[in-house]
Amino acid sequence: MRRLTIFLLLALCACGRPAYEAVFTPFVYTDGGSETVPEGCYANPILKGFYPDPSICRKGNDYYMVTSTFQYFPVIPVFHSTDLIHWEQCGSVLDSDEQISFTRKKMNLGNFAPGISYNPADGKFYVACTQVGGGLGNWYCTSEDPSSGRWDGPFVIRGVRGIDPEFFFDEDGRAWYLTCTQPEDAGSHRTYSCEFAIVMWEFDCAHREISSGPRIIARGGAHPEDHPDNLEGPHLFKVDGKYFLICAEGGTERFHREVAFSSPSLDKIFEPCAHNPILTQKDLLAGRPDIVTCTGHADMVQTQGGRWYSVFLGCEPYEGEEYFNTGRETFLLPVDWTSGQPVILADGLGVPLRVEMDEEMKAAAAANVIPAFDAANPGPLWGRGGLAPFAMTVRGSLEGRCKFDKKENLHLECSGISLDSLDRPSMVLQRIASKCFRAETIMNFNPAERQEAGILCWYDDDHYAKFVKRLDRRGRTVLVLMHRSTPPNSEFVGYKTERFESKIMQASSVVLEGKDASRPLALRIEAIVPQEYIFSYAVVKNGEPGQFIPVGSPVDARTLSTRHCAGHQGTMVGVYAY
């Protein structure tokens, strides 16, 4: 932690700045160091923090993976690996405001559940996605080399309905587009209220359009007599001449699970496989050690050696099965085909956090030259070259509102856009990727009236805690901790919330006296235990921060958790200027 403080001080720009901007040294997040992984094993999750709905494909020795981003920008990170263990981000599918227009909607809408596929017929990778809540609808992009970061598109697909899309490219050269949707969208009728169907269209890649009507290939779930909810997340494979379809069902919380179907032909309906679900944690004891919950939304990939692996989302709660702020993370497990169908995890087993590698994976790991991305210790959020690949903004870029100087400081404009406006505030964020962490920066900011800047924990427009410097009604310079959320009930059980239920849970402040009012401030967020976020500051004098002083009571992290806030994303940390 001492090296972290020294790094921040070296980057500090001590000169005064115009009142319209705040200057921040590189924001650094760390969990104190990664845990040791036994030799010959890899660690789960392979992507820690808010990286949900993973989809994966391979060409040669190269694996590519994408995950959801919802209302965050850039849209859909793309990861590259040669051994399934070490992953680096090689840009995002959409990374300019000209490519996509966000809507003034809640953070859990937007772009989610992408699917990535490789088409050997034209040598291109395809990423399909749906922008929910307005905007593009169903769209896709293509790239000849995802590791280059260059993608063409987006291309909107007309005449289709549904979410969680994916392209399937068959051995005969035909292309198919899959989504999950209501049976009515394919000319049928629901047999129960939460019935979803997997629908498929033939696709003309040359003309970028569907070339057939919709056809239902699976519906309901693995046990339709039980009326399972939300059959979604379809991924289609051809293995030894037979087609296999894997899907999620049961929703993305405690009853989430992955199920499998098969068919001898794409012209026939897919029937549930004999063993289902092929992955779930829903029936396991809540008090088990190293608990992982909500598993599902899986995809699979075959290695060059013929072994199959699955990536899937899961959550690491810190209190029973209820609360997690790291969001839905990406896990990896080998797939068992000994029964003639895919099985990701046998019944009754918990998801292991340490997995023994087979010989092929060991050899690939030994030959790996890709530096592993550690989301829990990712390095500075920005530098002289700009924002880090893992940096996120809300509903579009901050173009014209941020710049970087030669000392690697971020100059962030006070935009006048508030956090609860369903708009695009001036803030730069990164994912909380560990239960306990420390995140800090040094800020140089002299606020004018109705301006503020500082650090924050952010879940969405109704759930956040900001720690900002501003002027109070008497014109004094103050540091304010303001926590906004929907209040817990007596048992602190998460529940669906609406905007009008959000209220200020805490508003604490401290007056900065004398010269301290204009001096730089070191600002820190710390989670010593997962349930509490402590906000503290230290005045920087002569280039050295003094003692860190907490302000207000620790923020109850549970009020910023995914389950309580009733969304799909994870909690973020970063900097903000208004």
Side-chain angles (χ1 to χ4, degrees), residues 70-71 75 94 97-105 109-112 129-140 154-158 160 162:
F70 303 100
Q71 290 279 63
V75 176
L94 301 180
D97 291 322
E98 290 74 22
Q99 293 176 299
I100 190 167
S101 177
F102 285 86
T103 55
R104 291 172 58 88
K105 302 288 184 179
L109 297 177
N111 300 281
F112 60 85
C129 191
T130 311
Q131 187 177 11
V132 177
L136 294 178
N138 276 267
W139 61 269
Y140 74 98
F155 309 111
V156 174
I157 304 178
R158 309 293 180 186
V160 302

Side-chain angles (χ1 to χ4, degrees), residues 548-562:
F548 275 88
I549 303 170
V551 173
S553 302
V555 168
D556 192 330
R558 298 175 300 177
T559 64
L560 301 175
S561 65
T562 298

Side-chain angles (χ1 to χ4, degrees), residues 17 26 36 67 86 151 267 276 278 299 314 361 376 391 409 507 519 530 559 561 575:
R17 303 305 309 171
T36 302
T67 65
H86 302 88
W151 290 85
D267 296 327
N276 271 308
I278 62 172
D299 197 1
M361 183 177 280
N409 299 311
R519 287 188 169 114
T559 64
S561 65
V575 298

Side-chain angles (χ1 to χ4, degrees), residues 227-251:
H227 293 179
D229 296 346
N230 303 331
L231 188 68
E232 58 189 354
H235 296 287
L236 185 58
F237 309 88
K238 190 174 185 179
V239 182
D240 296 332
K242 190 175 183 179
Y243 294 93
F244 290 89
L245 174 71
I246 64 171
C247 305
E249 67 174 36

Side-chain angles (χ1 to χ4, degrees), residues 22 24 419 426 443 445 447 451-457 464-472 476-483 508-512 521 523 525 535-537 551 574-578:
F24 298 91
L419 293 176
S426 286
M443 180 182 71
F445 176 56
Q451 291 181 344
E452 64 184 26
I455 58 177
L456 78 165
C457 285
Y464 56 82
K466 63 180 180 180
F467 187 43
V468 293
K469 183 180 182 181
R470 67 188 189 194
L471 302 179
D472 67 9
R476 299 176 302 178
T477 301
V478 294
L479 266 176
V480 176
L481 172 61
M482 198 274 278
H483 172 204
S508 303
S509 64
V510 60
V511 178
L512 298 172
L521 298 175
L523 303 176
I525 307 170
F535 290 77
S536 60
Y537 77 100
V551 173
V575 298
Y576 158 72
Y578 171 80

